[in-house]
C-alpha cells in the first residue's frame, strides 16, 4: 500500500472503543472459523462460516467487495502467502492455512490474521510449526515494542531483531507486504514495516491504531501473484505464515483491539502490560 500524501488519522478514545467492539467481533469470528478448519472442509465453507458470524454479531465485512474481492476472508494455503480467495479447495491434513479477516462496526474497522496447521499437532511438520510460531511471536514482539516506541520504525526493528536472532534454519521476512494504519478505513497511513529500515516513519503517538502483520517464509523472499489477480505465492513454493493484530496507542498505553485480553498474556513475557481503553 502506498498512501501518498494522505494524513495519519488520530482516533479519539471513543472511536477506539468502537474499533475495540469491531475487533472483539472479529476475534470471535476468526476463532469459530479456525475451529472449523478441519480436513475435508473447503475454504469456501470457512468463508461462509466467518460471514455468518459477522452477520450474527451485527458487523459487516471490510474484505467483501474491497477492490472487488469476492469473499469475507482471505484463505492462504501452504505456499500461498496472502490474499488467497476462498473457494472449492478442500483442506488436507498438514496444510498450513492462514486466515485473514476484518470487520466494520459503525464505520470503524478491525483487521486480524492467524495461521493454523490443519489436522492437529500429531500431523504437523515441525518446520511449519516453527514457522508459524516464530511469525506469531515476532508479531507480539513488534506489539510489545509499540509500548515504548518513539517511531513506527521501531516496530520493524523489533520484529526483524527477533526473527533474525532465532536459532535454527533462517526464515525470511517478506518485504513486499507490510502492516498499516487502520480506523475509518482498513488500510490507511502509515506503512508499518516488518523489517529494519533507515526510514524511521512517523512518530508513534496516542490516537494511532496500527495493524501489525508479519509474513514469514521458509524459503526466498520473491513472490508471484497468480492469474486470479489476488493470490500471492512464494516463487520457490516454500511455505509461508501470516499473523496480524490491530493495536491502539492511547494516552495511557497500548491495547490489542483484536484480542480478548488486549494482549496481556502474550505481552507479559516482553514486560508489557496493556492498558484498557477506559
Ligand atoms: Mg489482514
Ligand atoms: Mg492488514
Amino acid at each position: 500500500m502506498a498512501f501518498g500524501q494522505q494524513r495519519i488519522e488520530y482516533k479519539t478514545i471513543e472511536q477506539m472503543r468502537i474499533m475495540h467492539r469491531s475487533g472483539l467481533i472479529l476475534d470471535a469470528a476468526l476463532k469459530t472459523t479456525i475451529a472449523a478448519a478441519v480436513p475435508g472442509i473447503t475454504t469456501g465453507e470457512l468463508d461462509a462460516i466467518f460471514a455468518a458470524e459477522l452477520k450474527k454479531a451485527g458487523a459487516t465485512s471490510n474484505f467483501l467487495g474491497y477492490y472487488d474481492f469476492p469473499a469475507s476472508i482471505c484463505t492462504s494455503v501452504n505456499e500461498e502467502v496472502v490474499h488467497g480467495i476462498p473457494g472449492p479447495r478442500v483442506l488436507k491434513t498438514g496444510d498450513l492455512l492462514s486466515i485473514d479477516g476484518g470487520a466494520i462496526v459503525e464505520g470503524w474497522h478491525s483487521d486480524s490474521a492467524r495461521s493454523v496447521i490443519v489436522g492437529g499437532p500429531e500431523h504437523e511438520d515441525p518446520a511449519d510449526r516453527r514457522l508459524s510460531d516464530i511469525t506469531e511471536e515476532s508479531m507480539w514482539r513488534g506489539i510489545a515494542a509499540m509500548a515504548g516506541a518513539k517511531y513506527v520504525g521501531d516496530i520493524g526493528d523489533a520484529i526483524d531483531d527477533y526473527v533474525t536472532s532465532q536459532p535454527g534454519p533462517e526464515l525470511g521476512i517478506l518485504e513486499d507486504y507490510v502492516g498499516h494504519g487502520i480506523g475509518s478505513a482498513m488500510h490507511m497511513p502509515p506503512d508499518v514495516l516488518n523489517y529494519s529500515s533507515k526510514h524511521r516513519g512517523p512518530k508513534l503517538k496516542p490516537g494511532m491504531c496500527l495493524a501489525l502483520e508479519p509474513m514469514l517464509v521458509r524459503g526466498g523472499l520473491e513472490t508471484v501473484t497468480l492469474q486470479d489477480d489476488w493470490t500471492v505465492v512464494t516463487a520457490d513454493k516454500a511455505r509461508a505464515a501470516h499473523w496480524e493484530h490491530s493495536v491502539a496507542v492511547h494516552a495511557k498505553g497500548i491495547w490489542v483491539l483484536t484480542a480478548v485480553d488486549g494482549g496481556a498474556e502474550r505481552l507479559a513475557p516482553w514486560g508489557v502490560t496493556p492498558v484498557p481503553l477506559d
Side-chain angles (χ1 to χ4, degrees):
M1 283 288 147
F3 300 106
Q5 297 302 309
Q6 252 184 285
R7 292 214 187 139
I8 292 170
E9 177 183 77
Y10 295 95
K11 266 67 75 173
T12 66
I13 199 88
E14 288 78 17
Q15 290 167 337
M16 288 192 277
R17 282 191 199 120
I18 304 172
M19 290 179 70
H20 187 211
R21 279 164 46 207
S22 170
L24 292 178
I25 290 169
L26 173 58
D27 176 63
L30 283 172
K31 281 175 178 155
T32 302
T33 309
I34 285 166
V38 296
I41 198 163
T42 67
T43 53
E45 287 169 323
L46 292 181
D47 179 55
I49 289 167
F50 178 88
E53 289 298 310
L54 281 199
K55 195 172 177 197
K56 211 162 63 184
T60 54
S61 169
N62 41 13
F63 281 42
L64 185 65
Y66 184 83
Y67 291 97
D68 294 327
F69 190 76
S72 299
I73 50 173
C74 296
T75 49
S76 306
V77 186
N78 299 336
E79 76 277 9
E80 296 172 358
V81 184
V82 280
H83 305 162
I85 303 175
R89 181 172 186 155
V90 177
L91 292 175
K92 298 197 301 276
T93 297
D95 277 343
L96 175 52
L97 168 70
S98 299
I99 300 177
D100 191 354
I104 310 172
V105 170
E106 293 176 25
W108 293 94
H109 292 241
S110 58
D111 187 8
S112 179
R114 293 115 202 241
S115 291
V116 61
I117 302 174
V118 177
E122 63 275 29
H123 302 292
E124 291 176 356
D125 179 339
D128 286 341
R129 169 50 51 203
R130 175 175 179 271
L131 171 69
S132 179
D133 286 351
I134 291 176
T135 307
E136 183 185 10
E137 193 60 20
S138 76
M139 171 193 67
W140 286 111
R141 181 68 195 91
I143 294 170
M146 281 178 77
K150 191 162 183 200
Y151 292 95
V152 171
D154 297 352
I155 296 167
D157 288 346
I159 293 171
D160 201 323
D161 287 349
Y162 177 78
V163 173
T164 53
S165 67
Q166 294 308 302
E170 193 182 329
L171 300 176
I173 304 172
L174 284 198
E175 298 184 0
D176 295 347
Y177 300 90
V178 299
H180 50 92
I182 183 166
S184 61
M186 178 161 59
H187 293 131
M188 309 183 85
D191 282 336
V192 182
L193 307 187
N194 297 310
Y195 52 92
S196 286
S197 166
K198 268 184 240 157
H199 181 63
R200 304 312 302 151
K203 279 192 176 166
L204 203 77
K205 288 184 192 162
M208 273 187 176
C209 294
L210 303 177
L212 274 67
E213 51 177 320
M215 283 152 246
L216 267 56
V217 292
R218 285 170 55 187
L221 298 183
E222 196 188 334
T223 60
V224 177
T225 303
L226 299 185
Q227 292 219 317
D228 63 19
D229 276 340
W230 280 105
T231 312
V232 176
V233 300
T234 54
D236 59 9
K237 299 277 169 64
R239 290 187 170 192
H242 179 204
W243 282 83
E244 177 179 29
H245 272 305
S246 299
V247 187
V249 183
H250 60 103
K252 294 174 186 162
I254 64 164
W255 188 257
V256 180
L257 300 166
T258 42
V260 167
D261 68 350
E265 188 187 337
R266 297 300 297 264
L267 292 170
W270 298 107
V272 171
T273 306
V275 183
L277 294 158
D278 50 35

